[in-house]
Amino acid sequence: NEVMSRDALMRLCYPTAKPAFGRAIDIGVARLRRKLGTRADVSNLIRTVRNQGYVLSERVLAEDDNS
Protein backbone atom coordinates (compact mmCIF):
# COMPACT_ATOMS: atom_id res chain seq x y z
CA ASN A 1 0.00 0.00 0.00
CA GLU A 2 1.54 3.21 -1.19
CA VAL A 3 0.86 6.66 0.25
CA MET A 4 -0.37 9.09 -2.41
CA SER A 5 0.37 12.73 -1.73
CA ARG A 6 -2.31 15.36 -2.22
CA ASP A 7 -0.20 16.81 -5.05
CA ALA A 8 0.01 13.45 -6.83
CA LEU A 9 -3.75 12.95 -6.47
CA MET A 10 -4.32 16.48 -7.75
CA ARG A 11 -2.26 15.73 -10.88
CA LEU A 12 -4.15 12.48 -11.47
CA CYS A 13 -7.62 13.94 -10.90
CA TYR A 14 -7.06 17.29 -12.63
CA PRO A 15 -4.39 16.69 -15.31
CA THR A 16 -5.12 19.77 -17.42
CA ALA A 17 -6.10 22.42 -14.90
CA LYS A 18 -5.70 23.00 -11.22
CA PRO A 19 -9.01 23.47 -9.39
CA ALA A 20 -9.65 26.89 -7.92
CA PHE A 21 -10.00 25.40 -4.45
CA GLY A 22 -6.74 24.00 -3.07
CA ARG A 23 -8.45 21.50 -0.76
CA ALA A 24 -10.41 19.84 -3.57
CA ILE A 25 -8.73 16.47 -2.93
CA ASP A 26 -9.59 16.58 0.78
CA ILE A 27 -13.23 17.32 -0.04
CA GLY A 28 -13.29 14.52 -2.64
CA VAL A 29 -11.87 12.01 -0.15
CA ALA A 30 -14.40 13.10 2.49
CA ARG A 31 -17.26 12.62 0.00
CA LEU A 32 -15.92 9.22 -1.04
CA ARG A 33 -15.69 8.13 2.60
CA ARG A 34 -19.27 9.28 3.19
CA LYS A 35 -20.47 7.29 0.16
CA LEU A 36 -18.62 4.19 1.34
CA GLY A 37 -20.52 4.41 4.60
CA THR A 38 -19.71 3.53 8.18
CA ARG A 39 -19.70 -0.27 8.02
CA ALA A 40 -16.76 -1.75 9.92
CA ASP A 41 -15.33 -3.43 6.83
CA VAL A 42 -15.07 -0.19 4.81
CA SER A 43 -14.86 2.55 7.42
CA ASN A 44 -11.04 2.54 7.42
CA LEU A 45 -10.55 1.77 3.74
CA ILE A 46 -8.97 5.17 3.06
CA ARG A 47 -6.50 6.25 5.72
CA THR A 48 -5.02 9.71 6.13
CA VAL A 49 -1.26 9.73 6.63
CA ARG A 50 -0.49 12.99 8.36
CA ASN A 51 1.76 15.35 6.38
CA GLN A 52 1.99 12.79 3.55
CA GLY A 53 -1.37 12.08 1.94
CA TYR A 54 -3.78 9.15 1.70
CA VAL A 55 -3.42 5.39 1.47
CA LEU A 56 -5.83 2.57 0.71
CA SER A 57 -5.64 0.10 3.55
CA GLU A 58 -6.76 -2.85 1.41
CA ARG A 59 -5.27 -4.39 -1.71
CA VAL A 60 -6.99 -3.20 -4.87
CA LEU A 61 -7.31 -5.62 -7.79
CA ALA A 62 -8.29 -4.89 -11.36
CA GLU A 63 -11.35 -6.78 -12.59
CA ASP A 64 -9.24 -9.02 -14.81
CA ASP A 65 -6.61 -9.67 -12.09
CA ASN A 66 -6.96 -13.26 -10.87
CA SER A 67 -4.24 -13.18 -8.21
Side-chain angles (χ1 to χ4, degrees):
N1 298 351
E2 180 180 335
V3 175
M4 294 289 293
S5 69
R6 287 175 68 238
D7 289 337
L9 290 169
M10 191 80 77
R11 286 191 301 272
L12 289 169
C13 294
Y14 305 100
T16 58
K18 189 173 181 178
F21 187 57
R23 309 232 351 139
I25 294 299
D26 300 323
I27 301 250
V29 169
R31 288 179 179 163
L32 182 56
R33 284 177 172 153
R34 188 169 48 241
K35 287 181 181 184
L36 288 171
T38 57
R39 291 190 351 234
D41 59 333
V42 295
S43 64
N44 292 319
L45 184 63
I46 302 171
R47 290 188 304 120
T48 300
V49 181
R50 188 173 179 173
N51 296 324
Q52 293 184 35
Y54 298 98
V55 65
L56 290 175
S57 58
E58 295 291 327
R59 186 170 178 213
V60 177
L61 300 174
E63 285 187 47
D64 61 338
D65 190 351
N66 295 323
S67 55

